[in-house]
Amino acid sequence: MSAGGPAATEGKDSGGLRAALGGLTTRGRSFLAAGIAAAVCAYVLGQGDLLRVGLLLAVLPLVCVAVLYRTRYRVAGSRRLSPARVPAGSEARVHLRMDNVSRLPTGLLMLQDHVPYVLGPRPRFVLDRVEAGGRREVSYRVRSDLRGRYPLGPLQLRLSDPFGMCELTRSFSAFDMLTVIPRTEALPAVRLAGESSGYGDGRHRSLALAGDDDVIPRNYRYGDDLRRVHWRSTARYGELMVRREEQPQRARCTVLLDTRRIAYQGAGPDSAFEWAVSGAASALVHMLERGFSVRLLTDTGSSVPAEGADGFAGSTQESADSAGLMDTLAVVDHSDGAGLSRSYDVLRGGNEGLLLAFFGDLDEEQATLAARIRRRSGAAVAFVLDSGSWVTGGAIEGAVEDRLRLLREAGWTALAVAPGAQLSDLWRQAGRERTESSGSGTNGFSGGWS
């Protein structure tokens, strides 16, 4: 971010003389008014000494305006966020740097950065004289309990003359974006449903196609075993081709987030909807760390990632960021939909692997539809929030138990989420119930979550 021009920067203001006159401070306006009044009185009374005093009082602020307006130096500014993506409730530090790139030293500079009110008070700094070619660095902290994307800037620079008669404000045009992602909770690596190899190891491998008729070759890479060269494809394409090795096929996981406005009550960082968003983020990060290919699906039928890798993200935390999973959850909001039919249409094809759902209030119709979703997928775990109990602090409970019973009969591992519940505790409980149901042969499921 750089700028230049009269007195400070090239920004939104044109820096014209009229704007400079408009920058007169209360002191400057008082001097100007007093000078004019003294000059008028001197003219009426015929007092020459009073006229000279009046002219001095009136000319001083005008001279300050002219000097400040004619001052020519260039100032460059930059902003750096550390980090640019931060969980809700955590602090980020904003570093500001001002460089005097002109040959003249600056006067007193007053620096102000525009930040949304949810990030804290507006930071203001006073920078003393900056020598030619010099720089000054300042920093401030921002913090938000609400997830979202917040613009920082534009940066404003206010100049003042030594007598405090005039102030000019210039704005830089650039701004930066701070992304506040949902809080995530570390989840335990539980052993589920009698997996002999342990949690998260239920991966499959697709066999390499090595026959002459169904081989899928690729270009030779340095270090490949020459015994895998496929000579027929080499002759066909005119370059060295080798047979593919066995390709790992990762276990899949779909995280379904219910965002219907009618399914949640209350607002704020401690509301039921924010718990569901944070739970979905925690589940996504945990499953990625366990080697699953994941995707985020909402009740509107939109999924992230939408394209590539069969619509599933990779298997690292960086994949969550690159695929836009956490950025999507940072700005996800309530939908105006009334049902889960669109997400059902996406999941009806099956082959989704593990399904983790975070539901708000479910009426009988939507609970029945959610039960049908389970029949289209493999293992399924549902966290059902009764938002009415969240609003009342658990004093009044709804019909959540009836909905849980309906989901469990369809094969879901369904858990009620009480106000203030920890997802890690519910995660352990889901693992125990899955293991017990698999051991007893109920729910028609065995073999773990993968």
Side-chain angles (χ1 to χ4, degrees):
M1 177 174 61
S2 62
T9 63
E10 291 175 350
K12 297 179 179 178
D13 302 325
S14 61
L17 185 58
R18 181 178 299 178
L21 289 172
L24 283 172
T25 62
T26 302
R27 180 184 300 177
R29 295 176 187 273
S30 300
F31 267 66
L32 183 61
I36 294 176
V40 171
C41 292
Y43 176 78
V44 172
L45 300 176
Q47 297 292 328
D49 294 337
L50 183 59
L51 178 61
R52 286 190 289 271
V53 173
L55 291 177
L56 176 63
L57 293 177
V59 169
L60 180 59
L62 297 179
V63 171
C64 292
V65 169
V67 171
L68 195 62
Y69 172 71
R70 296 298 299 175
T71 300
R72 312 292 293 187
Y73 56 82
R74 297 177 61 86
V75 175
S78 63
R79 182 190 297 105
R80 178 172 57 87
L81 303 181
S82 178
R85 181 187 286 104
V86 63
S90 300
E91 290 185 345
R93 183 168 288 275
V94 183
H95 302 269
L96 302 177
R97 173 176 162 178
M98 303 300 299
D99 294 275
N100 183 10
V101 296
S102 68
R103 297 181 180 180
L104 298 175
T106 70
L108 189 68
L109 303 179
M110 286 166 282
L111 197 63
Q112 176 178 278
D113 206 7
H114 285 262
V115 300
Y117 72 95
V118 296
L119 297 181
R122 182 170 295 179
R124 294 180 175 89
F125 304 94
V126 177
L127 303 181
D128 203 355
R129 179 178 179 273
V130 182
E131 65 279 5
R135 72 177 58 166
R136 296 290 186 272
E137 295 184 2
V138 294
S139 65
Y140 64 93
R141 293 177 296 179
V142 291
R143 179 181 181 274
S144 175
D145 292 327
L146 297 175
R147 56 186 175 79
R149 301 189 71 211
Y150 302 102
L152 300 179
L155 189 64
Q156 283 189 340
L157 202 59
R158 189 170 60 183
L159 305 172
S160 177
D161 66 279
F163 300 102
M165 298 288 182
C166 181
E167 291 181 351
L168 293 182
T169 301
R170 297 291 179 264
S171 296
F172 293 94
S173 58
F175 65 93
D176 294 277
M177 194 70 66
L178 175 68
T179 302
V180 181
I181 62 177
R183 298 184 183 94
T184 57
E185 184 178 349
L187 301 180
V190 296
R191 188 167 181 262
L192 302 167
E195 284 182 300
S196 59
S197 58
Y199 177 79
D201 291 333
R203 305 176 187 175
H204 305 284
R205 300 182 69 89
S206 58
L207 297 178
L209 302 177
D212 289 340
D213 297 329
D214 57 358
V215 66
I216 303 179
R218 63 168 174 82
N219 291 332
Y220 173 82
R221 298 170 186 166
Y222 179 78
D224 284 339
D225 190 349
L226 292 178
R227 290 175 296 181
R228 295 195 297 111
V229 173
H230 190 257
W231 297 108
R232 178 176 295 182
S233 298
T234 299
R236 177 185 301 174
Y237 294 106
E239 55 183 332
L240 205 57
M241 308 291 290
V242 297
R243 294 185 179 91
R244 292 181 184 270
E245 295 175 335
E246 293 182 346
Q247 300 297 316
Q249 181 180 356
R250 299 186 181 278
R252 292 180 171 182
C253 174
T254 298
V255 177
L256 173 60
L257 176 61
D258 182 6
T259 64
R260 296 172 298 135
R261 188 181 303 275
I262 62 174
Y264 299 94
Q265 300 180 29
D270 297 326
S271 63
F273 180 66
E274 292 302 321
W275 191 98
V277 174
S278 178
S282 301
L284 286 169
V285 172
H286 179 74
M287 301 310 292
L288 283 169
E289 291 175 349
R290 292 293 164 181
F292 280 72
S293 296
V294 304
R295 71 170 172 178
L296 172 66
L297 177 67
T298 66
D299 58 287
T300 62
S302 61
S303 62
V304 180
E307 302 292 342
D310 297 328
F312 288 82
S315 59
T316 62
Q317 173 62 46
E318 289 75 11
S319 299
D321 295 335
S322 62
L325 294 172
M326 301 306 291
D327 287 347
T328 300
L329 288 174
V331 297
V332 68
D333 200 357
H334 291 291
S335 68
D336 296 327
L340 303 171
S341 58
R342 293 183 179 178
S343 57
Y344 171 76
D345 293 337
V346 175
L347 295 171
R348 67 189 306 172
N351 193 26
E352 304 301 330
L354 171 64
L355 176 60
L356 302 175
F358 293 83
F359 293 122
D361 284 335
L362 296 174
D363 55 23
E364 184 176 356
E365 179 183 356
Q366 299 309 314
T368 302
L369 184 59
R372 294 170 58 191
I373 292 177
R374 161 64 182 86
R375 299 189 185 100
R376 295 290 183 177
S377 66
V381 180
F383 301 93
V384 184
L385 291 83
D386 183 5
S387 62
S389 66
W390 281 72
V391 174
T392 61
I396 301 177
E397 296 184 359
V400 64
E401 290 299 330
D402 296 336
R403 311 308 179 208
L404 293 178
R405 187 180 306 109
L406 183 59
L407 294 176
R408 288 164 181 166
E409 291 175 354
W412 284 86
T413 298
L415 302 175
V417 180
Q422 297 293 324
L423 182 59
S424 57
D425 297 335
L426 297 174
W427 198 263
R428 293 188 184 92
Q429 182 180 349
R432 290 193 299 268
E433 292 189 8
R434 255 307 168 196
T435 303
E436 293 172 0
S437 64
S438 177
S440 60
T442 60
N443 292 338
F445 175 82
S446 62
W449 282 21
S450 57

